[in-house]
């Protein structure tokens, strides 16, 4: 790699082949810069400890809270701000922040509810796959960092587009209430 002192050249004089030396070794990744997300990443939208939406949801009726199924230790609800239609969350009732704080019973039920959710959403929406994951802590991108929750995001071939990046808009073909009702009705009893 060639090293330059800032007083050796003007930026206009840099040749494009020298730019590769400045940037390091080129790789196969495309980069999509989204600086508007920096505020969310740095500050998030964390509620205070007394207004946790995942503690409040089970106190409401299922339709109002978007809950599709309830277990003994955990429950399943639609994400209020979904990545895709049918984006579900599996939450323990207990207010715990990370997966390692969950009891064996909570872990087992979160896993079981995740499997049932996948089968149910696949049946209802004919999706082609899923993204499943947990963001543990604010620094890892958890929207609600103080209450453990697992995302189940249905995916379809070619379901991504640039609306969210270019227009700050997510195209969702159905209303949350409709999706909740359809998944809840299909959920095995």
């Amino acid at each position: 790699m060639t090293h330059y002192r800032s007083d050796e050249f003007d930026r206009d004089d840099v040749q494009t082949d020298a730019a590769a030396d400045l940037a390091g070794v080129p790789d196969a990744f495309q980069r999509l810069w989204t600086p508007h997300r920096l505020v969310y990443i740095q500050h998030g939208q964390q509620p205070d400890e007394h207004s946790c939406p995942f503690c409040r949801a089970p106190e409401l009726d299922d339709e109002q809270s978007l809950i599709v199924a309830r277990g003994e230790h955990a429950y399943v609800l639609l994400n209020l701000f979904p990545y895709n239609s049918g984006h579900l969350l599996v939450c323990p009732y207990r207010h715990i922040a990370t997966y390692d704080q969950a009891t064996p019973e909570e872990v087992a039920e979160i896993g079981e509810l995740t499997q049932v959710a996948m089968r149910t959403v696949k049946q209802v929406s004919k999706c082609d796959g899923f993204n499943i994951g947990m963001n543990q802590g604010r620094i890892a991108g958890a929207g609600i960092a103080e209450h453990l929750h697992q995302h189940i995001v249905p995916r379809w071939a070619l379901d991504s587009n640039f609306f969210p990046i270019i227009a700050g808009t997510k195209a969702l073909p159905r209303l949350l209430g409709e999706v909740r009702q359809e998944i809840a009705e299909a959920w095995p009893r």
Side-chain angles (χ1 to χ4, degrees):
M1 182 165 158
T2 308
H3 297 279
Y4 299 96
R5 289 191 333 260
S6 61
D7 61 341
E8 288 184 312
F9 62 91
D10 286 334
R11 280 224 176 266
D12 296 338
D13 296 330
V14 176
Q15 305 262 321
T16 53
D17 55 343
D21 287 340
L22 292 174
V25 179
D27 58 32
F29 293 102
Q30 296 287 327
R31 272 120 180 127
L32 182 60
W33 302 107
T34 56
H36 62 279
R37 300 258 314 138
L38 189 58
V39 171
Y40 175 78
I41 292 167
Q42 289 178 333
H43 305 291
Q45 299 174 16
Q46 302 300 318
D48 67 38
E49 63 186 278
H50 303 294
S51 61
C52 174
F54 299 141
C55 288
R56 181 156 159 65
E59 297 170 358
L60 305 171
D61 68 62
D62 290 356
E63 191 173 326
Q64 185 180 9
S65 62
L66 300 174
I67 291 177
V68 299
R70 293 175 185 255
E72 184 179 341
H73 303 285
Y75 66 97
V76 182
L77 75 161
L78 277 175
N79 190 328
L80 189 57
F81 303 103
Y83 292 116
N84 276 339
S85 192
H87 178 170
L88 297 172
L89 303 172
V90 182
C91 304
Y93 291 108
R94 247 178 8 112
H95 187 81
I96 56 174
T98 57
Y99 195 61
D100 61 330
Q101 296 171 341
T103 66
E105 296 80 14
E106 288 167 331
V107 169
E109 191 166 66
I110 288 169
E112 182 182 342
L113 289 171
T114 298
Q115 288 181 326
V116 175
M118 291 172 66
R119 291 181 196 117
T120 305
V121 170
K122 186 177 270 189
Q123 172 194 335
V124 166
S125 72
K126 310 294 187 247
C127 62
D128 300 313
F130 294 91
N131 290 117
I132 296 175
M134 297 181 185
N135 300 322
Q136 301 287 277
R138 187 178 69 81
I139 197 71
I144 308 295
E146 296 303 316
H147 198 124
L148 176 67
H149 58 285
Q150 176 164 269
H151 294 262
I152 304 169
V153 182
R155 300 299 305 267
W156 293 265
L158 306 173
D159 67 1
S160 297
N161 60 49
F162 284 93
F163 263 17
I165 305 304
I166 295 171
T169 302
K170 185 69 179 172
L172 297 168
R174 304 195 48 221
L175 297 174
L176 289 175
E178 293 172 357
V179 175
R180 189 215 70 83
Q181 182 176 351
E182 187 173 33
I183 294 171
E185 287 174 359
W187 197 273
R189 303 281 174 229

